[in-house]
Amino acid sequence: MLKPEQARVAVVGLGYVGLPLAAAFGKLMPTVGFDINPARVDELRAGRDCTLEVEPGALAEATQLSYSSESGDIAACNVFIVAVPTPVDRFNRPDLGPLEAACGLVGEVLGAGDVVIFESTVYPGVTEDVCVPMLESVSGLRCNRDFYAGYSPERVNPGDKQHRLTNILKVTSGSTPEAADFVDALYRKIITAGTHRVSSIRVAEAAKVIENTQRDVNIALVNELALIFNRIGIDTREVLEAAGTKWNFLPFRPGLVGGHCLGVDPYYLTHKAQEIGYHPEVILAGRRINDSMGSYVAGQVFKLMNRAQLAVCGSRVLVMGLAFKEDCPDLRNTRVIDVIRELQAYRATVDVYDPWVDPAQAQREYGIEPVAALQPGGYDAIVLAVAHRQFRELGADGVRAFGKPGSVVYDVKGILPPGAADGCL
């Protein structure tokens, strides 16, 4: 069995999860960061990270880290950490395509004694029932005889500058007790917060998928409460602040639930549940509520415009923010797009402004060309969709300045003072 000091690490997938891992290991041991996108590799070689997850200084400190989009460059490695996306398809079914492609790539260079560790979010059983057989088939080797497997779920929170890779407790597991010891010891070299070793890979997989499922369900609850309180005519934020004075009340807030985790991971768990004959009620109900919030927001904007005697058809609407969360360029699975599409369906002309996102990526993924700058006095309605720092700093007067006289403002995230917007969740 390998010892951690013998590790030559390859990190497969250099996105929000993989790059921080590669940078951390690259400070201590020989590490190759691999990505199938040559443009991403070129960017990192130039010391830039478009995800903004790793600062240029941290990249420079990873003196043992190299980057490549050529699979031959990871052949000399003996530890392979797979950190590729695990999305869902348009029917919300798990799409294991990127994970299977990574297994095929690793299997081609896998050698005796090597260890393959997975960080991608999956349902319990994927590592041992899908990934390991594929590694065996491609490599001709046998797991737990010729090579070993591990699972250590990622806990990245894009845009969060406080909770970073190294100061978040890391769950670890392995395909044998010896493999689990190795995986745990390897991660302890970079994780200052420590590790939590579990008894099996399936336990680690399950722990990861329920972390985001729990949060998704809790947000669904407060979203449903917001729907109820809106009909009653009371301020949801004030209700939640009052309830929050109790010591054990959980401080969740209503909003659009997007991103690669909360809006995706629960479907992995429900897929597995249905596969074994159990129909999950609460999880899927929460998903239905959260997936409907974009349409609800657009409907509320329409109502405000009607009350202000503003015609929706032919109107100009400004949506401020496209990223799935504040102070982050991540566009994956953003539910702001649901608001935009609903507004457009009623023949409103929608401009989108987001100083954080890459316009080319917005065009490529959603067919949206964000405006580069805003001119005052041009809009019938303004939707504050994302709580970016720049928007918070504008204040109510700054936001309203972009609207025509008599325009309406809808504050999805509640970033303006109470009463400053015409409507909010």
mmCIF file of all heavy atoms in Angstrom, residues 308-341:
data_model
loop_
_atom_site.group_PDB
_atom_site.id
_atom_site.type_symbol
_atom_site.label_atom_id
_atom_site.label_comp_id
_atom_site.label_asym_id
_atom_site.label_seq_id
_atom_site.Cartn_x
_atom_site.Cartn_y
_atom_site.Cartn_z
ATOM 1 N N ALA A 308 -49.464 49.302 -10.909
ATOM 2 C CA ALA A 308 -48.895 50.611 -11.249
ATOM 3 C C ALA A 308 -49.338 51.081 -12.628
ATOM 4 O O ALA A 308 -48.838 52.097 -13.119
ATOM 5 C CB ALA A 308 -47.373 50.539 -11.180
ATOM 6 N N GLN A 309 -50.263 50.309 -13.246
ATOM 7 C CA GLN A 309 -50.792 50.629 -14.580
ATOM 8 C C GLN A 309 -49.680 50.673 -15.630
ATOM 9 O O GLN A 309 -49.650 51.544 -16.503
ATOM 10 C CB GLN A 309 -51.584 51.939 -14.550
ATOM 11 C CG GLN A 309 -52.800 51.896 -13.632
ATOM 12 C CD GLN A 309 -53.624 53.167 -13.681
ATOM 13 O OE1 GLN A 309 -53.119 54.245 -14.001
ATOM 14 N NE2 GLN A 309 -54.904 53.055 -13.367
ATOM 15 N N LEU A 310 -48.779 49.699 -15.505
ATOM 16 C CA LEU A 310 -47.694 49.545 -16.474
ATOM 17 C C LEU A 310 -47.964 48.289 -17.301
ATOM 18 O O LEU A 310 -48.123 47.193 -16.751
ATOM 19 C CB LEU A 310 -46.343 49.399 -15.762
ATOM 20 C CG LEU A 310 -45.876 50.600 -14.922
ATOM 21 C CD1 LEU A 310 -44.686 50.202 -14.050
ATOM 22 C CD2 LEU A 310 -45.506 51.759 -15.833
ATOM 23 N N ALA A 311 -48.038 48.425 -18.609
ATOM 24 C CA ALA A 311 -48.271 47.280 -19.479
ATOM 25 C C ALA A 311 -47.051 46.368 -19.476
ATOM 26 O O ALA A 311 -45.916 46.836 -19.624
ATOM 27 C CB ALA A 311 -48.584 47.741 -20.891
ATOM 28 N N VAL A 312 -47.290 45.079 -19.306
ATOM 29 C CA VAL A 312 -46.190 44.121 -19.304
ATOM 30 C C VAL A 312 -45.670 43.924 -20.724
ATOM 31 O O VAL A 312 -44.462 43.983 -20.976
ATOM 32 C CB VAL A 312 -46.637 42.778 -18.700
ATOM 33 C CG1 VAL A 312 -45.521 41.745 -18.833
ATOM 34 C CG2 VAL A 312 -47.039 42.956 -17.237
ATOM 35 N N CYS A 313 -46.575 43.695 -21.657
ATOM 36 C CA CYS A 313 -46.188 43.500 -23.056
ATOM 37 C C CYS A 313 -45.538 44.779 -23.594
ATOM 38 O O CYS A 313 -46.123 45.865 -23.525
ATOM 39 C CB CYS A 313 -47.411 43.131 -23.886
ATOM 40 S SG CYS A 313 -47.031 42.782 -25.610
ATOM 41 N N GLY A 314 -44.323 44.650 -24.090
ATOM 42 C CA GLY A 314 -43.604 45.805 -24.605
ATOM 43 C C GLY A 314 -42.832 46.583 -23.558
ATOM 44 O O GLY A 314 -42.172 47.576 -23.890
ATOM 45 N N SER A 315 -42.889 46.146 -22.310
ATOM 46 C CA SER A 315 -42.162 46.852 -21.251
ATOM 47 C C SER A 315 -40.676 46.514 -21.295
ATOM 48 O O SER A 315 -40.257 45.535 -21.925
ATOM 49 C CB SER A 315 -42.721 46.469 -19.877
ATOM 50 O OG SER A 315 -42.509 45.079 -19.622
ATOM 51 N N ARG A 316 -39.894 47.313 -20.612
ATOM 52 C CA ARG A 316 -38.466 47.042 -20.449
ATOM 53 C C ARG A 316 -38.209 46.706 -18.992
ATOM 54 O O ARG A 316 -38.554 47.478 -18.093
ATOM 55 C CB ARG A 316 -37.622 48.252 -20.862
ATOM 56 C CG ARG A 316 -37.675 48.565 -22.351
ATOM 57 C CD ARG A 316 -36.604 49.595 -22.695
ATOM 58 N NE ARG A 316 -35.254 49.036 -22.520
ATOM 59 C CZ ARG A 316 -34.176 49.766 -22.234
ATOM 60 N NH1 ARG A 316 -34.290 51.084 -22.055
ATOM 61 N NH2 ARG A 316 -32.996 49.205 -22.125
ATOM 62 N N VAL A 317 -37.628 45.530 -18.772
ATOM 63 C CA VAL A 317 -37.373 45.046 -17.421
ATOM 64 C C VAL A 317 -35.880 44.808 -17.250
ATOM 65 O O VAL A 317 -35.230 44.220 -18.124
ATOM 66 C CB VAL A 317 -38.146 43.744 -17.137
ATOM 67 C CG1 VAL A 317 -37.870 43.256 -15.715
ATOM 68 C CG2 VAL A 317 -39.641 43.951 -17.347
ATOM 69 N N LEU A 318 -35.357 45.254 -16.144
ATOM 70 C CA LEU A 318 -33.949 45.031 -15.805
ATOM 71 C C LEU A 318 -33.860 43.941 -14.741
ATOM 72 O O LEU A 318 -34.471 44.058 -13.678
ATOM 73 C CB LEU A 318 -33.313 46.315 -15.273
ATOM 74 C CG LEU A 318 -31.896 46.175 -14.688
ATOM 75 C CD1 LEU A 318 -30.901 45.744 -15.760
ATOM 76 C CD2 LEU A 318 -31.455 47.488 -14.033
ATOM 77 N N VAL A 319 -33.110 42.889 -15.034
ATOM 78 C CA VAL A 319 -32.818 41.850 -14.043
ATOM 79 C C VAL A 319 -31.375 42.042 -13.593
ATOM 80 O O VAL A 319 -30.442 41.939 -14.401
ATOM 81 C CB VAL A 319 -33.022 40.442 -14.626
ATOM 82 C CG1 VAL A 319 -32.561 39.377 -13.623
ATOM 83 C CG2 VAL A 319 -34.495 40.227 -14.980
ATOM 84 N N MET A 320 -31.202 42.326 -12.316
ATOM 85 C CA MET A 320 -29.876 42.582 -11.764
ATOM 86 C C MET A 320 -29.344 41.308 -11.115
ATOM 87 O O MET A 320 -29.800 40.895 -10.055
ATOM 88 C CB MET A 320 -29.934 43.739 -10.752
ATOM 89 C CG MET A 320 -30.418 45.036 -11.379
ATOM 90 S SD MET A 320 -30.482 46.448 -10.225
ATOM 91 C CE MET A 320 -28.732 46.718 -9.932
ATOM 92 N N GLY A 321 -28.403 40.691 -11.815
ATOM 93 C CA GLY A 321 -27.802 39.451 -11.336
ATOM 94 C C GLY A 321 -28.216 38.259 -12.175
ATOM 95 O O GLY A 321 -29.397 38.102 -12.492
ATOM 96 N N LEU A 322 -27.242 37.424 -12.541
ATOM 97 C CA LEU A 322 -27.506 36.187 -13.271
ATOM 98 C C LEU A 322 -26.839 34.987 -12.608
ATOM 99 O O LEU A 322 -27.307 33.861 -12.742
ATOM 100 C CB LEU A 322 -27.007 36.320 -14.717
ATOM 101 C CG LEU A 322 -27.244 35.126 -15.641
ATOM 102 C CD1 LEU A 322 -28.746 34.818 -15.771
ATOM 103 C CD2 LEU A 322 -26.644 35.368 -17.018
ATOM 104 N N ALA A 323 -25.755 35.210 -11.863
ATOM 105 C CA ALA A 323 -25.082 34.117 -11.161
ATOM 106 C C ALA A 323 -26.048 33.446 -10.198
ATOM 107 O O ALA A 323 -27.031 34.036 -9.761
ATOM 108 C CB ALA A 323 -23.865 34.652 -10.410
ATOM 109 N N PHE A 324 -25.748 32.205 -9.813
ATOM 110 C CA PHE A 324 -26.684 31.494 -8.949
ATOM 111 C C PHE A 324 -26.633 31.977 -7.497
ATOM 112 O O PHE A 324 -27.536 31.712 -6.711
ATOM 113 C CB PHE A 324 -26.451 29.978 -9.028
ATOM 114 C CG PHE A 324 -25.499 29.413 -7.996
ATOM 115 C CD1 PHE A 324 -25.953 29.006 -6.758
ATOM 116 C CD2 PHE A 324 -24.151 29.263 -8.280
ATOM 117 C CE1 PHE A 324 -25.091 28.470 -5.811
ATOM 118 C CE2 PHE A 324 -23.284 28.726 -7.347
ATOM 119 C CZ PHE A 324 -23.753 28.330 -6.105
ATOM 120 N N LYS A 325 -25.567 32.719 -7.147
ATOM 121 C CA LYS A 325 -25.488 33.276 -5.797
ATOM 122 C C LYS A 325 -24.635 34.533 -5.817
ATOM 123 O O LYS A 325 -23.973 34.840 -6.809
ATOM 124 C CB LYS A 325 -24.910 32.256 -4.807
ATOM 125 C CG LYS A 325 -23.468 31.864 -5.102
ATOM 126 C CD LYS A 325 -22.929 30.885 -4.080
ATOM 127 C CE LYS A 325 -22.752 31.525 -2.719
ATOM 128 N NZ LYS A 325 -22.069 30.642 -1.765
ATOM 129 N N GLU A 326 -24.632 35.239 -4.691
ATOM 130 C CA GLU A 326 -23.963 36.533 -4.631
ATOM 131 C C GLU A 326 -22.444 36.413 -4.635
ATOM 132 O O GLU A 326 -21.869 35.435 -4.159
ATOM 133 C CB GLU A 326 -24.400 37.303 -3.375
ATOM 134 C CG GLU A 326 -24.040 36.668 -2.056
ATOM 135 C CD GLU A 326 -25.080 35.672 -1.576
ATOM 136 O OE1 GLU A 326 -25.994 35.344 -2.361
ATOM 137 O OE2 GLU A 326 -24.970 35.210 -0.425
ATOM 138 N N ASP A 327 -21.811 37.467 -5.180
ATOM 139 C CA ASP A 327 -20.358 37.637 -5.176
ATOM 140 C C ASP A 327 -19.630 36.408 -5.693
ATOM 141 O O ASP A 327 -18.628 35.956 -5.123
ATOM 142 C CB ASP A 327 -19.873 37.987 -3.759
ATOM 143 C CG ASP A 327 -20.488 39.280 -3.253
ATOM 144 O OD1 ASP A 327 -20.941 40.084 -4.083
ATOM 145 O OD2 ASP A 327 -20.541 39.476 -2.026
ATOM 146 N N CYS A 328 -20.117 35.894 -6.808
ATOM 147 C CA CYS A 328 -19.598 34.659 -7.369
ATOM 148 C C CYS A 328 -19.923 34.637 -8.863
ATOM 149 O O CYS A 328 -21.026 35.016 -9.253
ATOM 150 C CB CYS A 328 -20.247 33.477 -6.646
ATOM 151 S SG CYS A 328 -19.937 31.873 -7.380
ATOM 152 N N PRO A 329 -19.004 34.203 -9.721
ATOM 153 C CA PRO A 329 -19.279 34.187 -11.159
ATOM 154 C C PRO A 329 -19.958 32.915 -11.654
ATOM 155 O O PRO A 329 -20.166 32.750 -12.853
ATOM 156 C CB PRO A 329 -17.878 34.313 -11.766
ATOM 157 C CG PRO A 329 -17.000 33.616 -10.786
ATOM 158 C CD PRO A 329 -17.588 33.902 -9.418
ATOM 159 N N ASP A 330 -20.321 32.022 -10.748
ATOM 160 C CA ASP A 330 -20.823 30.697 -11.116
ATOM 161 C C ASP A 330 -22.232 30.775 -11.701
ATOM 162 O O ASP A 330 -23.178 31.197 -11.032
ATOM 163 C CB ASP A 330 -20.827 29.800 -9.873
ATOM 164 C CG ASP A 330 -20.957 28.331 -10.213
ATOM 165 O OD1 ASP A 330 -21.282 28.023 -11.376
ATOM 166 O OD2 ASP A 330 -20.736 27.498 -9.318
ATOM 167 N N LEU A 331 -22.372 30.345 -12.950
ATOM 168 C CA LEU A 331 -23.661 30.365 -13.645
ATOM 169 C C LEU A 331 -24.349 29.005 -13.668
ATOM 170 O O LEU A 331 -25.462 28.887 -14.188
ATOM 171 C CB LEU A 331 -23.461 30.822 -15.098
ATOM 172 C CG LEU A 331 -23.178 32.296 -15.339
ATOM 173 C CD1 LEU A 331 -22.863 32.531 -16.805
ATOM 174 C CD2 LEU A 331 -24.371 33.140 -14.922
ATOM 175 N N ARG A 332 -23.722 27.987 -13.117
ATOM 176 C CA ARG A 332 -24.282 26.646 -13.228
ATOM 177 C C ARG A 332 -25.670 26.563 -12.595
ATOM 178 O O ARG A 332 -25.858 26.898 -11.427
ATOM 179 C CB ARG A 332 -23.349 25.630 -12.561
ATOM 180 C CG ARG A 332 -22.023 25.444 -13.263
ATOM 181 C CD ARG A 332 -21.105 24.523 -12.480
ATOM 182 N NE ARG A 332 -20.800 25.058 -11.159
ATOM 183 C CZ ARG A 332 -20.128 24.389 -10.230
ATOM 184 N NH1 ARG A 332 -19.712 23.163 -10.470
ATOM 185 N NH2 ARG A 332 -19.868 24.942 -9.056
ATOM 186 N N ASN A 333 -26.631 26.112 -13.392
ATOM 187 C CA ASN A 333 -27.984 25.867 -12.908
ATOM 188 C C ASN A 333 -28.589 27.080 -12.211
ATOM 189 O O ASN A 333 -29.368 26.949 -11.264
ATOM 190 C CB ASN A 333 -27.981 24.656 -11.945
ATOM 191 C CG ASN A 333 -29.374 24.124 -11.680
ATOM 192 O OD1 ASN A 333 -30.220 24.102 -12.560
ATOM 193 N ND2 ASN A 333 -29.620 23.720 -10.445
ATOM 194 N N THR A 334 -28.272 28.287 -12.670
ATOM 195 C CA THR A 334 -28.867 29.460 -12.037
ATOM 196 C C THR A 334 -30.358 29.491 -12.316
ATOM 197 O O THR A 334 -30.807 29.306 -13.449
ATOM 198 C CB THR A 334 -28.214 30.763 -12.533
ATOM 199 O OG1 THR A 334 -28.916 31.875 -11.961
ATOM 200 C CG2 THR A 334 -28.257 30.882 -14.054
ATOM 201 N N ARG A 335 -31.138 29.745 -11.290
ATOM 202 C CA ARG A 335 -32.590 29.780 -11.454
ATOM 203 C C ARG A 335 -33.079 31.187 -11.771
ATOM 204 O O ARG A 335 -34.273 31.397 -12.009
ATOM 205 C CB ARG A 335 -33.299 29.256 -10.202
ATOM 206 C CG ARG A 335 -32.987 27.850 -9.856
ATOM 207 C CD ARG A 335 -33.291 26.709 -10.777
ATOM 208 N NE ARG A 335 -33.742 26.879 -12.122
ATOM 209 C CZ ARG A 335 -33.121 26.389 -13.190
ATOM 210 N NH1 ARG A 335 -31.966 25.766 -13.075
ATOM 211 N NH2 ARG A 335 -33.630 26.525 -14.384
ATOM 212 N N VAL A 336 -32.174 32.138 -11.857
ATOM 213 C CA VAL A 336 -32.546 33.467 -12.353
ATOM 214 C C VAL A 336 -33.068 33.348 -13.774
ATOM 215 O O VAL A 336 -33.941 34.105 -14.200
ATOM 216 C CB VAL A 336 -31.346 34.437 -12.282
ATOM 217 C CG1 VAL A 336 -31.730 35.808 -12.836
ATOM 218 C CG2 VAL A 336 -30.840 34.570 -10.844
ATOM 219 N N ILE A 337 -32.564 32.365 -14.498
ATOM 220 C CA ILE A 337 -32.994 32.172 -15.882
ATOM 221 C C ILE A 337 -34.491 31.898 -15.959
ATOM 222 O O ILE A 337 -35.158 32.260 -16.942
ATOM 223 C CB ILE A 337 -32.182 31.036 -16.553
ATOM 224 C CG1 ILE A 337 -32.383 31.035 -18.071
ATOM 225 C CG2 ILE A 337 -32.520 29.685 -15.966
ATOM 226 C CD1 ILE A 337 -31.866 32.256 -18.754
ATOM 227 N N ASP A 338 -35.070 31.274 -14.930
ATOM 228 C CA ASP A 338 -36.516 31.005 -14.929
ATOM 229 C C ASP A 338 -37.308 32.306 -14.885
ATOM 230 O O ASP A 338 -38.347 32.432 -15.543
ATOM 231 C CB ASP A 338 -36.891 30.136 -13.731
ATOM 232 C CG ASP A 338 -36.213 28.775 -13.757
ATOM 233 O OD1 ASP A 338 -35.780 28.353 -14.853
ATOM 234 O OD2 ASP A 338 -36.098 28.143 -12.696
ATOM 235 N N VAL A 339 -36.827 33.264 -14.096
ATOM 236 C CA VAL A 339 -37.476 34.576 -14.032
ATOM 237 C C VAL A 339 -37.408 35.252 -15.389
ATOM 238 O O VAL A 339 -38.402 35.788 -15.895
ATOM 239 C CB VAL A 339 -36.808 35.452 -12.952
ATOM 240 C CG1 VAL A 339 -37.492 36.809 -12.866
ATOM 241 C CG2 VAL A 339 -36.815 34.761 -11.593
ATOM 242 N N ILE A 340 -36.231 35.228 -15.995
ATOM 243 C CA ILE A 340 -36.022 35.885 -17.286
ATOM 244 C C ILE A 340 -36.929 35.275 -18.355
ATOM 245 O O ILE A 340 -37.598 35.995 -19.106
ATOM 246 C CB ILE A 340 -34.546 35.779 -17.698
ATOM 247 C CG1 ILE A 340 -33.663 36.549 -16.709
ATOM 248 C CG2 ILE A 340 -34.335 36.294 -19.124
ATOM 249 C CD1 ILE A 340 -32.182 36.267 -16.859
ATOM 250 N N ARG A 341 -36.948 33.954 -18.429
ATOM 251 C CA ARG A 341 -37.756 33.288 -19.457
ATOM 252 C C ARG A 341 -39.248 33.593 -19.276
ATOM 253 O O ARG A 341 -39.973 33.775 -20.259
ATOM 254 C CB ARG A 341 -37.526 31.778 -19.419
ATOM 255 C CG ARG A 341 -36.103 31.349 -19.730
ATOM 256 C CD ARG A 341 -35.729 31.629 -21.172
ATOM 257 N NE ARG A 341 -34.405 31.092 -21.486
ATOM 258 C CZ ARG A 341 -33.399 31.800 -21.935
ATOM 259 N NH1 ARG A 341 -33.536 33.114 -22.105
ATOM 260 N NH2 ARG A 341 -32.241 31.241 -22.217
#
